[in-house]
Structures are given as C-alpha cells and as structure tokens.
Amino acid sequence: MEVERIRGRWHPEAAAVEPEITQEEAEAGVRLALRLFERWGLTDREARVLLGGVSARTYARWKAGEIGRLETDRKMRLSLLAGIHKALRSLFTEPERAYGWISRPNADFEGRRPLDVLLQGRITDLLDVRAYLDAARG
C-alpha cells in the first residue's frame, strides 16, 4: 500500500471536535477492543498499554464484562482503535490480512510494525496510525 508519508505531521482533520461518546458506546468500544486485541494476538500487558495504562485489575474486570465509567482519554483511545479496525477492514478484503497488518514490518513506519508504534503508549501514536490508514483509504 502506497501512502504519502504523514508520520509526525499535524493533521487538522484528526483534531476535529467529535461528539461526546456515551457510556453505552464506550462499553461497546471496550468489547470491540477486547475482540480486536485477541485477533491481533496481543498480550494483556500490550492491550493495557494501548488502552492508556489500564491496571491489570481493571483490565481483568473488563474481560469479565464488568465495565465501569470511562474517562475521556479512554473513550478517545477506544474510538481510535475502532477507527483503525474499520480502516483495515476497508483496505483489506481478507480479514486475516486486515488483522495481520498490525504485526507486519512497514517501511512507512521506518521498518517497524504498526504495533510497535502503538506500543509507545501515547494517544498521538494511535492518531498517527489512524491518520496513516485514513490517508491510505483516500
């Protein structure tokens, strides 16, 4: 997939004000993220990093279906993960290719896997990967 190199640039469209994510939407986002992390083959530690440093105890409760109130940062991370998933499913017709993309080295990420970028743990890393995929979709 050929995409203009966008890493490190400001993306005004990514900063657009989004409507408030409801608690119900956030809970659905947690359920989606848990399934996505399983498909990506992430460890619990890796998943917790992508979620912004959720404690092991909280993550275990989420996996058991006990999802409490989520703060804005967590809701935004869940929204970005859902957007990454949607973009990958749009770009690849074969689900396994879509799920595998995150773990394959990518020249546009300086040879690193997109997952390596995400595991840096910053919300801006999620924004960068999402913007990259959105640019690839055109």
Side-chain angles (χ1 to χ4, degrees):
M1 153 175 40
E2 229 172 281
V3 178
E4 176 187 349
R5 185 170 170 79
I6 59 172
R7 180 128 171 89
R9 290 190 194 164
W10 174 247
H11 304 285
E13 66 276 5
V17 176
E18 297 275 335
E20 178 65 26
I21 299 168
T22 67
Q23 182 64 21
E24 294 77 24
E25 291 167 334
E27 289 175 8
V30 169
R31 290 188 298 274
L32 171 71
L34 293 173
R35 288 190 307 273
L36 187 59
F37 296 159
E38 186 176 310
R39 294 299 300 263
W40 285 351
L42 301 187
T43 66
D44 284 358
R45 186 198 67 74
E46 290 170 330
R48 292 181 12 244
V49 169
L50 268 57
L51 293 168
V54 171
S55 72
R57 184 176 177 185
T58 295
Y59 190 66
R61 283 198 312 263
W62 288 4
K63 287 174 70 172
E66 301 169 24
I67 304 163
R69 293 226 43 78
L70 300 171
E71 65 279 354
T72 302
D73 178 76
R74 255 354 129 237
K75 289 178 179 180
M76 179 57 70
R77 287 172 178 273
L78 291 167
S79 176
L80 290 166
L81 287 164
I84 289 168
H85 171 64
K86 180 180 175 182
L88 287 169
R89 291 300 304 263
S90 173
L91 287 166
F92 299 101
T93 56
E94 300 160 3
E96 293 313 311
R97 287 190 65 207
Y99 293 120
W101 179 86
I102 205 85
S103 297
R104 287 193 294 274
N106 187 315
D108 292 327
F109 292 110
E110 300 170 353
R112 296 178 296 163
R113 305 174 304 160
L115 180 59
D116 296 327
V117 174
L118 296 176
L119 288 174
Q120 294 174 115
R122 298 176 303 243
I123 199 164
T124 54
D125 301 321
L126 288 165
L127 282 164
D128 284 346
V129 171
R130 167 83 187 265
Y132 173 86
L133 291 168
D134 286 348
R137 289 190 320 169

